[in-house]
């Protein structure tokens, strides 16, 4: 029997890389995307994923493109299906933070458009394209029931006025997860919303001190930074089918961030 295939956007670094490695550990062939494949990326980026993935004896296909650009996105879909003929798991992970944190009273339309284009429009239409193909796989009879994971954020329902457009993009992405869950249920395609908390990656490196302090002061129940591996393990649990009766579920990987306390 063939291996299941996972397509992970933004697999070159951080959380996406952690997800790629955990899924490879569980026998998935991996399609990993990044914005570009420069010689430097080949040395320390996606190809570092390749080295780890090779350890597990699965196949790895790196693809390059900006998910916020229609032409790139369409090409990524074509190349992904050309590589293996099917995608059994789509993980919408690629995303960006703000170039500059500005107060909601000051922030710019340019920044808003950038965040919405990459964090919301890109994964929305990538999912639309892949979901249509997954429906075809289901109708044709498939070895693996397809599933889709959105990597959103605790920012989907936590308001930060100095990065409002990020929060808005993630809240929108969480609604995309819900809506695709509704639409795809009749085909047996489960859709999940995974919300990471404070995870140590390039994205959070510039605000290390701020979060070190918040964690020390008790903002999380589990007093440590999250790791890409923490998120990867959660996605692997979903991929393995242990949450079969939970389409539309929101899974926080945030060290207890959202537990209300008194
Ligand atoms: P990183 O900045 O470490 O990595 C981002 C990844 O996304 C890279 O692989 C990058 O590719 C890719 N990417 C960025 N822009 C685009 C684009 N336009 N098209 C295609 N790929 C793109 O981020 P994280 O690992 O921290 O974040 C991953 C996801 O998790 C994001 O959606 C983020 O919002 C979310 N998240 C992160 C949290 C955290 O604390 N770190 C918390 C909650 C959610 P390249 O290497 O080519 O730039």
């Amino acid at each position: 029997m063939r291996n299941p295939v996972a397509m992970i956007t933004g697999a070159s670094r951080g959380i996406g890389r952690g997800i790629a490695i955990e899924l490879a550990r569980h026998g998935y062939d991996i399609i990993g995307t990044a914005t570009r494949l420069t010689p430097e990326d080949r040395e320390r980026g996606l190809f570092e994923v390749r080295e780890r993935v090779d350890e597990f004896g699965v196949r790895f296909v790196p693809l390059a493109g900006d998910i916020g650009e229609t032409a790139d996105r369409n090409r990524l879909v074509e190349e992904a299906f050309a590589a293996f003929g099917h995608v059994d798991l789509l993980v919408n992970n690629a995303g960006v933070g703000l170039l500059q944190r500005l107060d909601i009273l000051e922030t710019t339309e340019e920044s808003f458009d950038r965040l919405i284009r990459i964090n919301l429009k890109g994964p929305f239409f990538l999912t639309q394209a892949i979901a249509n193909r997954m429906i075809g796989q289901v109708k044709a009879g498939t070895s693996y029931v397809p599933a889709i994971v959105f990597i959103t954020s605790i920012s989907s329902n936590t308001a930060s006025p100095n990065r409002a457009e990020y929060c808005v993009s993630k809240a929108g992405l969480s609604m995309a997860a819900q809506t695709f869950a509704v639409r795809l249920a009749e085909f047996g395609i489960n859709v999940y919303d995974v919300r990471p908390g404070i995870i140590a990656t390039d994205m959070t490196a510039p605000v290390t001190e701020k979060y070190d302090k918040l964690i020390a002061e008790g903002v999380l129940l589990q007093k440590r930074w999250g790791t890409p591996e923490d998120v990867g393990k959660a996605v692997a649990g979903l991929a393995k089918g242990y949450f079969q009766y939970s389409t539309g579920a929101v899974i926080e990987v945030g060290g207890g961030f959202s537990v209300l306390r008194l």
Side-chain angles (χ1 to χ4, degrees):
M1 191 155 130
R2 69 172 176 85
N3 287 343
V5 175
M7 178 173 182
I8 303 143
T9 62
S12 52
R13 297 184 277 131
I15 292 173
R17 180 172 186 272
I19 294 169
I21 291 165
E22 289 306 315
L23 290 175
R25 194 190 303 282
H26 286 88
Y28 275 76
D29 287 334
I30 304 293
I31 300 165
T33 86
T35 49
R36 69 195 85 77
L37 287 174
T38 62
E40 196 195 15
D41 290 328
R42 283 166 201 278
E43 272 179 34
R44 60 167 187 81
L46 275 180
F47 284 72
E48 197 182 321
V49 180
R50 161 161 274 153
E51 280 167 25
R52 291 298 312 279
V53 165
D54 282 350
E55 284 173 31
F56 303 114
V58 295
R59 291 169 66 198
F60 176 64
V61 173
L63 298 178
D66 180 340
I67 53 157
E69 295 295 331
T70 309
D72 278 21
R73 207 167 47 238
N74 291 341
R75 183 179 43 74
L76 284 173
V77 174
E78 292 304 324
E79 289 175 354
F81 280 84
F84 292 108
H86 37 254
V87 170
D88 303 297
L89 176 69
L90 169 64
V91 184
N92 285 300
N93 165 77
V96 289
L98 297 173
L99 294 176
Q100 189 185 3
R101 291 185 175 209
L102 285 174
D103 187 274
I104 190 170
L105 296 176
E106 306 290 336
T107 199
T108 64
E109 206 170 318
E110 194 184 12
S111 175
F112 186 95
D113 285 346
R114 173 175 170 268
L115 269 284
I116 296 299
R117 181 179 68 78
I118 298 172
N119 290 359
L120 180 55
K121 181 181 154 190
F124 183 100
F125 285 103
L126 181 70
T127 301
Q128 183 192 66
I130 303 270
N132 275 305
R133 293 183 185 232
M134 284 176 165
I135 291 168
Q137 287 172 208
V138 170
K139 286 182 175 165
T142 173
S143 331
Y144 301 98
V145 180
I148 298 170
V149 175
F150 285 85
I151 304 298
T152 64
S153 172
I154 53 170
S155 296
S156 291
N157 65 346
T158 304
S160 304
N162 66 343
R163 49 193 190 106
E165 55 272 53
Y166 181 81
C167 300
V168 168
S169 73
K170 290 298 182 175
L173 196 60
S174 286
M175 180 49 75
Q178 298 291 298
T179 316
F180 276 111
V182 173
R183 186 63 184 87
L184 298 177
E186 69 180 273
F187 305 103
I189 300 172
N190 284 2
V191 182
Y192 306 101
D193 176 351
V194 172
R195 296 187 181 174
I198 303 168
I199 313 294
T201 68
D202 292 347
M203 189 181 280
T204 46
V207 281
T208 302
E209 268 181 42
K210 175 189 166 156
Y211 288 130
D212 276 348
K213 186 165 178 288
L214 286 171
I215 292 168
E217 288 167 356
V219 73
L220 307 179
L221 298 184
Q222 292 170 274
K223 285 195 168 196
R224 66 165 173 87
W225 282 74
T227 64
E229 190 184 357
D230 290 323
V231 185
K233 286 190 184 305
V235 173
L238 295 169
K240 291 295 283 180
Y242 296 138
F243 293 82
Q244 210 159 274
Y245 192 53
S246 302
T247 194
V250 173
I251 292 140
E252 185 176 294
V253 187
F257 172 79
S258 292
V259 177
L260 294 175
R261 281 167 277 171
L262 190 61

